[in-house]
Amino acid sequence: MTLELALILTLAIPSLGGLLVAISDKNPNQREAMTLISAVSLFAVVIWLTQQVAAGARPALHLVEVLPGLSLALEIEPLGMLFGVVASGLWIVNSIYSIGYMRGGNEQKQTRFYICFTIAIASAIGIAFAANMFTLFIFYEILTISTYPLVAHKETNEAKSGARVYMGLLLGTSIGFQMIAIIWTWVATGTLDFTSGGILADKIDPTMLPVLLALYMFGIGKAALMPFHRWLPSAMVAPTPVSALLHAVAVVKAGVFTVLKVAIYIFGIETLSTTGASEWLMWVAAFTLLTASLVAMTKDNLKARLAYSTISQLAYIVLAVAVANQLSVIGGALHIATHAVGKITLFMCAGAIYVATHKTEISDMRGLGRAMPFTFAAFFIGAISIIGLPPMGGTWSKWYMALGAANEGLLLVVGVYMVSSLLNVGYLLPLVVRGFFFPPPEPARSLGAAAVDEHHTSSSGGFAEAPLWCVVPPCLTAVGCIVLFFYADPIYQFLLPLGRP
Amino acid sequence: MIAALEPHLAILQVVVPLISAPLCSMLRRGDLAWMMAMVVSWLAFAMSIALLAQVMATGDISYHVGNWAPPWGIEYRIDAVNAFVLLIVSGIGAVVLPYAKKSVEREIKPSRRAHFYTAYLLCLAGLLGVTATGDAFNVFVFLEISSLSTYTLVALGADADRRALPAAYNYLVMGTVGATFFVIGLGLMYMVTGTLNMADLAARLPELGANRTVDAAFAFIVVGLGLKLAMFPMHVWLPNAYTYAPSVVTAFLAATATKVAVYVLLRFVFTVFGTGFEFAALTLTWVLIPLALAAMFVATIAAIYQVNVKRLLAFSSVAQLGYMVLGIGMLSTTGLTATILHLFNHALMKGALFLAIGAVAYRVGSTNIEAMRGLGKRMPWTMAAFSAGGLSLIGVPTTVGFISKWYLVMAAIENGWWPIAVLIVASSLLAIFYVWKVIEAAYFREADDETAIQEAPMSMLVPLWLLVLANFYFGIDAELTTSVATTAAKAFLGGGG
C-alpha cells in the first residue's frame, strides 16, 4: 500500500460506507454490518498510516486546484494523525453502541442516521488531514451540514429548534468570522498552507494580529468559546450516540483541533508568544472554563451537565493555546485524545442509563449504581479521567497544560486549571455517589439487588443493565482511559515535533 | 461549408435566432415551434462555444457588418468578456429549452404556444445582440428587442395567473422609462462626439475633458441601465414580473436578462467612459456602493418574509445583483473579477433554483411555501436539487456561490474596506434564513393531504440536474471561470485607463 493510496482510502472508506449503508436500507442487519466493516477498515488504514508517520513519513496528496494557488490538498502531520486515530477509533466503539441504542429505542429513520454518520466521519478525517486552511474550512462546513439531520433526528419541535441553533451558530460564526480571517490571511500572505512556525510572521502588522486571532478563535464556533457556546447544549436534543461521538469527539474536537492548527501552523507558537497576540485569549478562555464549570453544577439533566462540562474542557485547550508554550500546546493536543475517550464514556453511560431506565435527571438516579454497576463504574472511571486524577489518561494532558503555564510564569492560569479541576469533582462525582451510596427509591429497591449478577440481560429482571451493545462500549473506553495513563509517553514523543520553531 | 461560416460567427450568433423567430411564428403548432426553438438554442450555444474558443486562441474579433468599416458601419466586437456572457446566455437557453416543453404545455394555452417560442427566440436574439455588438446604438435596438419580447413572455403567464398582466404592464412602463433614459444618454454623447461606435467613443470622450454634457449622458445611461438590471431602488418591477411569468421564462430571465444589463453597464462604465473619467469614479463609489449595500440588505430581508417561493427568489435576485454592482463599485481588478464571476455563477444557481420551482409548479400547481410541505419525500430529486441550489446561493464551500463570495470579500479586504467585507458576509448569512424556510418546509414538515404527487418528468429533471452539477463542478474546479473573469477584468481596467 502506498502512502497516497492509504490517504485516499481514509476518505473513500467512510464515503463508500455511506453508499453501502444507503443501499442496505431495507435490511438492517446488512446495514449495520456495513457501518461496522467501514469503521474497522478505516481504523486499520489509519493505524497503518500512524506507523508510517511515526517513522517520519509525511503522506501528502494534491486533489484539485480550486482557485489559482488554492488547492484541495491533504497532508498528515502528527497532530492531525492523532485526531484521525481518535475519531476513527472511537467510531468503531460508537457504532457498536449506536446499534444497541437505536434498536433498543426503536428510533425512526435509522438509515439516514447511519449515512449522516459516515459523512460526518469522512469530514472529520478531512479536517484532520487537511494540508491547508482552505481544505480544512471546506470539510469543517461539510461536517456542520452533515450533522444537522443527526441533531434534528427526532423531528420534534424541540429537536428542530435545537438543531436550528446548532446550525445557525456554527455556520454563522464560520462564515461571519472564520472565512473573513482566512481571506485576510490569504490576501496578506498569498498562501494558506499549514507550515511549521506559521506563515504570518512579518506579514501582518503585530497590532492587528490579536484582531485576526479573534476572528479565527470566535470563527471556529465548534471550539465553543463563550459567547458562542450555545449550540452545544442545544445539540443535546440529539440521540445519545450522536452526542457521544459528535459532541465529545468529532465536532467539538474538530473545533479545538482547528484552534491548535491555526495557532501552530498559521500563526506559529513563536509569533504568538513574542507578539503577545494571544494574551486577551487567556482571559476569554479562562472565563469560559470557569463559567461553564459553574453552570454545569446547576444542571440536573445529565446530558446538559455533560454539555457544559465539554464547553469547559474545550476551553482548557484554548487556554493552552493562549499560553503559547510548546509544553502547553502538546498538553492541549493530548487533551484532545484523553478528553475524547473520557467524555465519550460519560455520554455512552448516560445513554445506557436512559435506555435501561428512561431517566435523564441526575436527582432521579439515586441508587441506580447498584442496578447498573458496570455502567456506573465506567462512568466513575471516565469522570476521574476528566477531572485529571491518576491513574487515568486525563492526568497527563492537564499536567502538561499546567506545566506549560507554569513555565511561562503564569501562575494565575495554573490556578484556574486547579480550581476548575475541583469544580469537575463537584459536578461529575455526585452522580456516582448518588448511584452507589444512596438508597434507591422504593419501587426499584428489590429489583436493584437482583440485577447485580445479571447485568447483561435487560429483560430478565426489570431494572438492570442496558443491553450488552450499550454496556460493553463504555466499559471499553473506560479501560481506554486507564491505558492512556500508562501509554501516554509514546503519544508525547509522537507529538513532540509540534510547536518546535 | 462550416469553415466558410467561421469568420461570420459573430453575426450569425445573433442573426440565426433573429431570422428563426418569424419562421417560428408561422408554425402554428406548439410542438413544432418548440422543436425549432430548441434546435436554434443549441445552435446558438455551439456558436458561442466556438466564438469563445476563437477569442481565446486569436484575441479580440472585430466584425464589420456589410463590410462597412467602423466607425461608420456597425461593428461587432467580441472579446473575452462578451464571449463569456454569450456563452452564459446561450448556454442557459440550451439547458432551459428541453425543460420548456412540459412546463409550457401545462402553463400556456395551446393556441399561444407558438407565439411563446417566437417571443423566446426574439428575446434570445436581443440578448445575444446586446452582448455581441460594438455599436452603442445597436445596443439600444437589441435591448428593446429583448425587452419587448420579455414583456410578452411575462404576460403569457396570464393563462395560469391573471396577475401576470399588471406585472407585465408595470414592467413595460418601467422598462420603457429605462430605455428612454438610455437613448437620451446616447443622444447626448452623439451630440458631443458625432460617433456611436464604442471604441470610437472611448477614444474621443477623454479629448473633451471635463464636459457637462458627458456627465449628463453618463447619468442618463447609468439610470437607464439601472432600471433594466433592477438595481435597487429601481427594482420594483422585478418581483412581480418574476413571480407571475411562466416558470420557464422566470428561469431564463433570472439567469440571463439582468446579467446582460450588468454586462452593458460594465461595458459603458469601463470601456466607453473609462476609469479615467472622474465623474464616473465618484458616482460609482458614492452612489452605486450605498445602493448595492442597501439592495443586499433590504432585498434579502424582504425575501425572508415572502410566502411565495418564486417571489422569494426574485427578491434574492435583487440582492445578488447588489453583489455584482458592489464589485463594479470597488473599481479594482479583484472586484470586477468578482462581478464577472458572479454573472456566471448566479446564472447557474438561479437557473437551477427557478427550474426546480418550475418542476414543483408543474406537479403541485402552486409555488407557495405552504404547498411545499412534505415534498422532500414526494419529489426527492427536485427538492434535493433545490437544496443544492440553495446552498450555492448561501455560498457554502464547494459551490459556485462560495467562489463568488470569496472574491468579493477578498476585493473588499484588498481595498481595506473592512466594514464592507463584514456586510457582505452578514448579508450572505441572512440568505440562510430564506433558503432554510423552504428546505425546512420540504423536509421537516408533513403535508396535510395524502394526495399522490409524482416526481417531475425526466425532461425537467435532466436540465435541472445539469445546472446543479455545474454549480458544484465550477465550485470545486474554478480555474476556468476565474481565469476568464480575471482576464476580462484586466481588459476592462487596462483598456479604459
Side-chain angles (χ1 to χ4, degrees):
Chain A
M1 192 153 59
T2 65
L3 292 170
E4 284 76 21
L5 178 66
L7 200 49
I8 273 288
L9 279 180
T10 56
L11 284 179
I13 290 173
S15 314
L16 193 67
L19 213 61
L20 290 173
V21 167
I23 55 176
S24 319
D25 182 26
K26 298 280 181 291
N27 185 343
N29 286 334
Q30 185 187 334
R31 180 184 67 199
E32 264 83 306
M34 290 305 156
T35 300
L36 284 176
I37 289 170
S38 20
V40 170
S41 38
L42 174 65
F43 189 60
V45 175
V46 170
I47 288 298
W48 184 81
L49 274 169
T50 313
Q51 289 164 349
Q52 310 302 315
V53 172
R58 290 290 179 269
L61 188 68
H62 182 269
L63 295 176
V64 54
E65 190 166 34
V66 178
L67 296 170
L70 262 189
S71 302
L72 284 187
L74 302 175
E75 187 184 351
I76 307 186
E77 43 71 59
L79 181 62
M81 198 67 241
L82 176 78
F83 181 43
V85 172
V86 170
S88 61
L90 291 178
W91 186 29
I92 302 179
V93 184
N94 195 268
S95 299
I96 301 173
Y97 180 78
S98 302
I99 295 169
Y101 184 92
M102 299 302 280
R103 291 194 172 184
N106 260 331
E107 299 275 348
Q108 52 161 350
K109 295 187 180 159
Q110 295 193 17
T111 306
R112 181 180 77 185
F113 174 88
Y114 288 111
I115 295 174
C116 289
F117 238 111
T118 56
I119 303 174
I121 291 294
S123 30
I125 295 288
I127 291 172
F129 297 163
N132 54 47
M133 196 59 211
F134 183 69
T135 311
L136 193 154
F137 180 65
I138 286 175
F139 283 111
Y140 181 98
E141 299 292 48
I142 299 176
L143 181 59
T144 308
I145 295 170
S146 66
T147 47
Y148 173 87
L150 291 173
V151 177
H153 185 82
K154 289 188 180 134
E155 297 191 357
T156 56
N157 279 335
E158 192 200 353
K160 269 187 264 178
S161 73
R164 229 178 276 154
V165 173
Y166 173 78
M167 180 125 137
L169 267 177
L170 288 186
L171 271 187
T173 51
S174 69
I175 294 178
F177 305 131
Q178 197 190 140
M179 194 171 101
I180 293 187
I182 293 173
I183 297 178
W184 186 357
T185 312
W186 168 251
V187 170
T189 65
T191 178
L192 288 175
D193 291 343
F194 291 126
T195 314
S196 288
I199 54 177
L200 283 174
D202 307 325
K203 293 281 173 54
I204 282 188
D205 182 7
T207 53
M208 290 305 278
L209 272 182
V211 181
L212 181 59
L213 186 70
L215 283 174
Y216 271 116
M217 290 302 131
F218 291 117
I220 303 168
K222 287 182 178 142
L225 209 55
M226 281 181 182
F228 299 107
H229 66 287
R230 279 288 319 158
W231 62 270
L232 223 167
S234 298
M236 289 302 141
V237 294
T240 309
V242 176
S243 310
L245 187 64
L246 300 178
H247 305 119
V249 185
V251 175
V252 292
K253 291 297 152 26
V256 283
F257 171 76
T258 312
V259 167
L260 280 165
K261 273 281 211 191
V262 167
I264 298 174
Y265 296 108
I266 298 284
F267 282 83
I269 296 298
E270 195 66 26
T271 315
L272 278 183
S273 68
T274 51
T275 59
S278 59
E279 256 167 47
W280 65 271
L281 186 60
M282 263 183 245
W283 297 98
V284 176
F287 174 80
T288 306
L289 205 165
L290 290 176
T291 314
S293 284
L294 288 171
V295 174
M297 303 191 86
T298 68
K299 297 284 173 191
D300 190 35
N301 181 297
L302 180 53
K303 277 177 80 178
R305 185 175 288 192
L306 292 181
Y308 276 97
S309 156
T310 302
I311 296 174
S312 155
Q313 299 293 325
L314 295 174
Y316 271 78
I317 301 176
V318 180
L319 185 52
V321 166
V323 166
N325 172 286
Q326 194 194 358
L327 278 179
S328 71
V329 167
I330 290 179
L334 207 55
H335 204 54
I336 288 187
T338 57
H339 175 251
V341 178
K343 196 42 90 35
I344 200 173
T345 310
L346 300 189
F347 271 115
M348 289 196 288
C349 290
I353 294 170
Y354 176 74
V355 168
T357 67
H358 280 275
K359 282 178 180 164
T360 56
E361 306 303 304
I362 294 166
S363 49
D364 294 339
M365 294 181 187
R366 275 180 299 156
L368 218 51
R370 305 177 194 193
M372 308 179 70
F374 281 84
T375 305
F376 273 73
F379 190 95
F380 179 62
I381 293 173
I384 297 274
S385 180
I386 295 215
I387 295 163
L389 295 176
M392 307 299 160
T395 319
W396 294 120
S397 49
K398 291 205 175 174
W399 172 269
Y400 282 116
M401 286 191 282
L403 204 60
N407 273 357
E408 295 284 315
L410 296 162
L411 290 182
L412 196 65
V413 173
V414 179
V416 168
Y417 278 134
M418 294 310 134
V419 169
S420 164
S421 289
L422 282 178
L423 291 173
N424 291 350
V425 174
Y427 64 76
L428 286 176
L429 289 187
L431 175 72
V432 183
V433 173
R434 266 168 206 271
F436 281 124
F437 299 111
F438 281 36
E442 280 309 313
R445 183 176 289 171
S446 54
L447 296 164
V452 174
D453 302 319
E454 295 172 322
H455 58 272
H456 54 281
T457 47
S458 61
S459 52
S460 66
F463 285 157
E465 285 283 10
L468 203 55
W469 291 88
C470 285
V471 180
V472 171
C475 292
L476 283 177
T477 51
V479 173
C481 290
I482 302 173
V483 171
L484 275 175
F485 177 78
F486 293 103
Y487 289 91
D489 189 54
I491 306 179
Y492 176 76
Q493 296 297 340
F494 186 72
L495 290 174
L496 212 51
L498 295 186
R500 267 195 207 140
Chain B
M1 152 92 178
I2 298 211
L5 289 177
E6 212 176 292
H8 301 287
L9 271 181
I11 187 79
L12 281 175
Q13 170 92 76
V14 183
V15 166
V16 170
L18 194 63
I19 300 282
S20 57
L23 294 179
C24 191
S25 74
M26 285 182 242
L27 299 170
R28 304 299 285 271
R29 284 178 47 193
D31 47 353
L32 285 178
W34 168 72
M35 191 72 82
M36 175 152 190
M38 186 162 82
V39 170
V40 171
S41 300
W42 284 1
L43 265 179
F45 185 46
M47 284 189 277
S48 71
I49 294 175
L51 265 180
L52 184 64
Q54 213 174 322
V55 169
M56 284 300 181
T58 61
D60 297 4
I61 303 170
S62 168
Y63 181 88
H64 307 159
V65 176
N67 260 340
W68 292 91
W72 298 282
I74 292 171
E75 181 195 17
Y76 275 36
R77 204 179 175 84
I78 315 284
D79 58 14
V81 193
N82 53 5
F84 191 52
V85 178
L86 287 174
L87 186 77
I88 298 173
V89 173
S90 60
I92 293 290
V95 172
V96 162
L97 249 271
Y99 173 101
K101 188 168 192 295
K102 293 264 179 187
S103 184
V104 166
E105 275 170 13
R106 165 148 182 144
E107 292 178 18
I108 294 171
K109 282 185 192 156
S111 61
R112 293 188 180 140
R113 283 178 202 156
H115 294 153
F116 173 84
Y117 290 111
T118 307
Y120 161 77
L121 282 173
L122 274 178
C123 184
L124 181 68
L127 294 173
L128 292 173
V130 169
T131 314
T133 186
D135 185 278
F137 194 76
N138 223 233
V139 169
F140 168 70
V141 172
F142 279 113
L143 205 57
E144 277 313 274
I145 292 181
S146 72
S147 297
L148 289 170
S149 50
T150 307
Y151 309 142
T152 318
L153 286 172
V154 172
L156 280 170
D159 286 345
D161 190 332
R162 304 273 305 161
R163 281 176 287 182
L165 293 177
Y169 186 67
N170 201 345
Y171 183 17
L172 170 81
V173 173
M174 305 276 280
T176 308
V177 172
T180 312
F181 270 55
F182 183 67
V183 84
I184 291 174
L186 289 186
L188 291 172
M189 285 207 295
Y190 185 67
M191 197 172 92
V192 287
T193 61
T195 182
L196 284 170
N197 180 287
M198 289 188 197
D200 205 27
L201 276 172
R204 280 164 193 250
L205 282 174
E207 293 168 8
L208 296 171
N211 184 317
R212 231 187 255 173
T213 317
V214 179
D215 289 354
F218 179 79
F220 272 110
I221 285 177
V222 168
V223 173
L225 288 175
L227 268 161
K228 292 280 180 193
L229 70 79
M231 190 198 300
F232 183 88
M234 296 175 275
H235 67 281
V236 283
W237 57 269
L238 187 140
N240 278 331
Y242 279 19
T243 310
Y244 301 116
S247 307
V248 189
V249 174
T250 313
F252 180 69
L253 289 183
T256 58
T258 45
K259 310 292 171 300
V260 168
V262 171
Y263 158 76
V264 177
L265 183 66
L266 279 173
R267 184 58 90 193
F268 271 87
V269 169
F270 291 101
T271 306
V272 175
F273 289 96
T275 38
F277 184 51
E278 215 161 287
F279 184 66
L282 277 177
T283 316
L284 292 176
T285 313
W286 295 106
V287 180
L288 289 204
I289 288 191
L291 289 182
L293 291 174
M296 281 157 50
F297 283 89
V298 177
T300 304
I301 290 167
I304 294 175
Y305 289 100
Q306 299 306 316
V307 289
N308 181 307
V309 182
K310 269 171 106 177
R311 217 178 152 77
L312 180 155
L313 291 175
F315 273 106
S316 144
S317 277
V318 177
Q320 300 283 328
L321 286 162
Y323 290 132
M324 293 180 215
V325 175
L326 186 65
I328 299 177
M330 291 193 187
L331 288 174
S332 69
T333 316
T334 319
L336 266 189
T337 306
T339 300
I340 297 166
L341 260 180
H342 203 47
L343 278 183
F344 178 74
N345 292 346
H346 184 244
L348 288 184
M349 48 184 141
K350 268 295 151 52
L353 284 167
F354 276 119
L355 287 188
I357 282 303
V360 171
Y362 181 73
R363 283 296 187 208
V364 184
S366 164
T367 53
N368 280 342
I369 289 186
E370 287 301 303
M372 300 187 68
R373 282 178 302 171
L375 275 191
K377 244 178 278 166
R378 294 160 163 201
M379 302 178 71
W381 287 97
T382 308
M383 288 321 293
F386 186 93
S387 313
L391 290 180
S392 188
L393 194 60
I394 297 170
V396 170
T398 72
T399 62
V400 288
F402 176 70
I403 305 287
S404 303
K405 222 137 276 178
W406 178 276
Y407 268 92
L408 205 55
V409 173
M410 197 156 90
I413 293 180
E414 274 181 2
N415 275 14
W417 294 355
W418 287 100
I420 290 188
V422 173
L423 289 175
I424 294 168
V425 166
S427 94
S428 72
L429 284 176
L430 285 176
I432 295 178
F433 287 96
Y434 60 73
V435 171
W436 205 253
K437 257 174 71 164
V438 184
I439 292 181
E440 209 172 78
Y443 287 96
F444 295 96
R445 283 165 69 189
E446 302 293 333
D448 300 330
D449 52 350
E450 285 303 314
T451 46
I453 291 173
Q454 280 183 321
E455 182 51 274
M458 264 305 162
S459 70
M460 296 180 129
L461 282 182
V462 171
L464 170 58
W465 274 90
L466 264 180
L467 283 180
V468 169
L469 292 179
N471 265 295
F472 283 90
Y473 178 78
F474 290 107
I476 292 171
D477 184 3
E479 282 267 36
L480 175 72
T481 46
T482 50
S483 67
V484 172
T486 315
T487 318
K490 281 188 182 142
F492 268 140
L493 287 174

